[in-house]
Amino acid sequence: MTITNGGGGGIVVYDPIGSDEATLVLHNSIVAGNGVSECYTRNGVTTTGSAGDVITNSVDSATPDSDACVGVLTANDPLLGGLDDNPPGRTPTMKLGAGSPAIDAAVGNSPPDDQRGILRPQGDAADIGAYELSSNPPTTAITLAPAAPDGNNAWYVSVVGVTIAATDPDSTVAQTRCVLDPASVPAAFADLPDAGCALTSVSSDGEHTVYAASVDSEGNAEATVVSATFKLDATDPELSPSLSAPSPITVGQTGVTALPNASDTTSGVLSSGCGTVDTSTPGVHTVTCTATDNAGNTGSANLSYVVEYRILGFFSPVPSSKWKLGQSVPIKVALANGAGVRISDAAAAALAQACRVKFQASGAQSKGPDCMKYDASTDQFIYTWKLGKSGIGPATIVVRISYPNTTTTTQRSEPILITP
């Protein structure tokens, strides 16, 4: 029994003058918070009880013509909290504070449960009063969202939501602590950071473990730390594709493949590959490479490459040949595929028409880039370079082929000597 907040006294027993005698019996009770006269009697009422199992703030009587409940009350602050709907409720109660002398102090028989319905005893003995201090810790649960991995091979591939909640059937949860991927595994609530728990999601790739535990308002902490382990790979594989053969790649060249060069630092590469390398026509081509990691993420990358002609020749002039000032130097080359087969007249004529095959010279005498003509009778591109009347010494002649949509060119050069 807990009686508080009265005026003048928590319990007053009056014995009227007559044949009936009044008797007050108190057992395993708290009488507190009512002023200086917590319990008093008048007209010689008999008070009985077990010494020490009735706790009050004070046993003094300040009421005229009255007597304290002598031999029943022990003056010791029971450390009661305010009147509140303490879980699991039912009726308002005053919670016992830590260190209260009422804890585990009941003598003899006690009711099977307290005023809230909590079973007695929770400790070595029942508590005195209407409130049985619980020894049950909270229960903490960690919930991931999605509940099951959304990728392959037990991997998550999107941000993982983390909900940490604690419940306590006979008290209130005072604090929940948690930590993500600690350096050492926490064994108890005290090993967790004391800053509370603000973790709501995890977005970084890797294998993760969340640890959590709670303590209730009565100081009961979970005996073990709960945990949830999961794997997250939200990043696509990386690709750095390349060709299996060094440049230049020539028209009709066989055996050239694209290499995906895929990597994935988290779950690892499951499979990768590239499309077919096309060398059937000159110019810029693109091949697509893809890769899938073990979590199910897929990445892709395009590889651009240039397919070039081979330049056969020079058929004229011969290397290091000598030419006099004012002479005309015939420049003759032929174009072929990777196997050395000359290109068709139609393809060669189209190149000449588009001025894709050019001649130029540098050194003792220079000549800016100029278009070469195609001679179908000899399957050669030709140009006649008229030397000037001055400028003797070494010179370099160059034939260069250009391709649409790229700065890549195919060229061939050789030295000649210009003499007086």
Side-chain angles (χ1 to χ4, degrees):
M1 177 173 62
T2 303
I3 303 173
T4 62
N5 300 327
I11 296 177
V12 179
V13 179
Y14 176 72
D15 183 8
I17 302 299
S19 59
D20 295 327
E21 295 296 325
T23 301
L24 171 64
V25 178
L26 295 176
H27 182 63
N28 289 337
S29 301
I30 297 175
V31 183
N34 303 284
V36 294
S37 296
E38 300 287 0
C39 177
Y40 64 91
T41 64
R42 288 186 176 182
N43 297 341
V45 173
T46 301
T47 58
T48 62
S50 300
D53 67 356
V54 181
I55 300 176
T56 182
N57 295 95
S58 172
V59 296
D60 295 331
S61 174
T63 304
D65 303 322
S66 64
D67 297 306
C69 299
V70 179
V72 175
L73 304 181
T74 298
N76 200 342
D77 187 351
L79 301 177
L80 295 175
L83 191 64
D84 201 356
D85 186 19
N86 294 297
R90 298 211 307 194
T91 59
T93 52
M94 292 181 173
K95 178 180 176 180
L96 295 176
S100 170
I103 298 174
D104 295 348
V107 178
N109 295 328
S110 296
D113 59 3
D114 73 359
Q115 191 169 311
R116 301 169 300 148
I118 300 302
L119 296 179
R120 297 181 187 268
Q122 291 286 316
D124 294 335
D127 300 339
I128 293 175
Y131 190 99
E132 180 73 11
L133 192 67
S134 171
S135 60
N136 297 319
T139 299
T140 303
I142 302 173
T143 304
L144 304 180
D150 53 355
N152 298 334
N153 301 307
W155 284 88
Y156 284 89
V157 294
S158 57
V159 173
V160 180
V162 179
T163 300
I164 300 175
T167 58
D168 194 305
D170 49 24
S171 185
T172 56
V173 178
Q175 186 185 56
T176 297
R177 298 178 182 179
C178 68
V179 65
L180 175 67
D181 301 332
S184 58
V185 176
F189 173 82
D191 298 330
L192 295 167
D194 61 3
C197 183
L199 181 66
T200 58
S201 64
V202 178
S203 59
S204 58
D205 287 352
E207 298 191 25
H208 302 288
T209 302
V210 179
Y211 298 91
S214 302
V215 64
D216 64 21
S217 58
E218 297 175 355
N220 300 307
E222 287 177 284
T224 59
V225 175
V226 298
S227 64
T229 299
F230 58 94
K231 303 183 295 183
L232 171 60
D233 183 355
T235 304
D236 295 338
E238 295 184 353
L239 296 96
S240 301
S242 62
L243 295 180
S244 62
S247 296
I249 305 300
T250 54
V251 174
Q253 184 173 340
T254 59
V256 182
T257 59
L259 307 175
N261 300 320
S263 62
D264 188 279
T265 58
T266 306
S267 63
V269 176
L270 176 65
S271 62
S272 62
C274 300
T276 302
V277 174
D278 180 11
T279 63
S280 62
T281 57
V284 179
H285 293 263
T286 300
V287 62
T288 299
C289 299
T290 60
T292 300
D293 63 23
N294 284 291
N297 301 300
T298 299
S300 64
N302 292 329
L303 172 64
S304 293
Y305 58 98
V306 178
V307 178
E308 305 179 39
Y309 286 117
R310 287 180 59 188
I311 299 177
L312 303 178
F314 290 87
F315 297 99
S316 175
V318 297
S320 301
S321 57
K322 297 179 180 180
W323 300 84
K324 292 184 178 182
L325 294 172
Q327 277 190 302
S328 294
V329 183
I331 311 298
K332 298 179 181 181
V333 297
L335 303 188
N337 64 15
V341 178
R342 296 193 184 192
I343 67 175
S344 68
D345 289 342
L351 287 172
Q353 178 67 29
C355 193
R356 294 275 175 204
V357 183
K358 297 180 180 180
F359 164 79
Q360 68 183 79
S362 62
Q365 291 193 29
S366 61
K367 175 70 179 71
D370 205 353
C371 304
M372 298 185 74
K373 296 180 180 180
Y374 179 67
D375 182 3
S377 65
T378 61
D379 297 330
Q380 293 177 344
F381 287 83
I382 61 174
Y383 186 87
T384 301
W385 180 27
K386 177 68 174 177
L387 296 176
K389 297 185 180 297
S390 62
I392 60 175
T396 300
I397 60 175
V398 179
V399 171
R400 182 176 287 111
I401 307 169
S402 64
Y403 306 92
N405 305 315
T406 179
T407 59
T408 298
T409 60
T410 305
Q411 68 179 42
R412 185 158 184 168
S413 63
E414 70 174 35
I416 63 171
L417 184 63
I418 302 174
T419 62

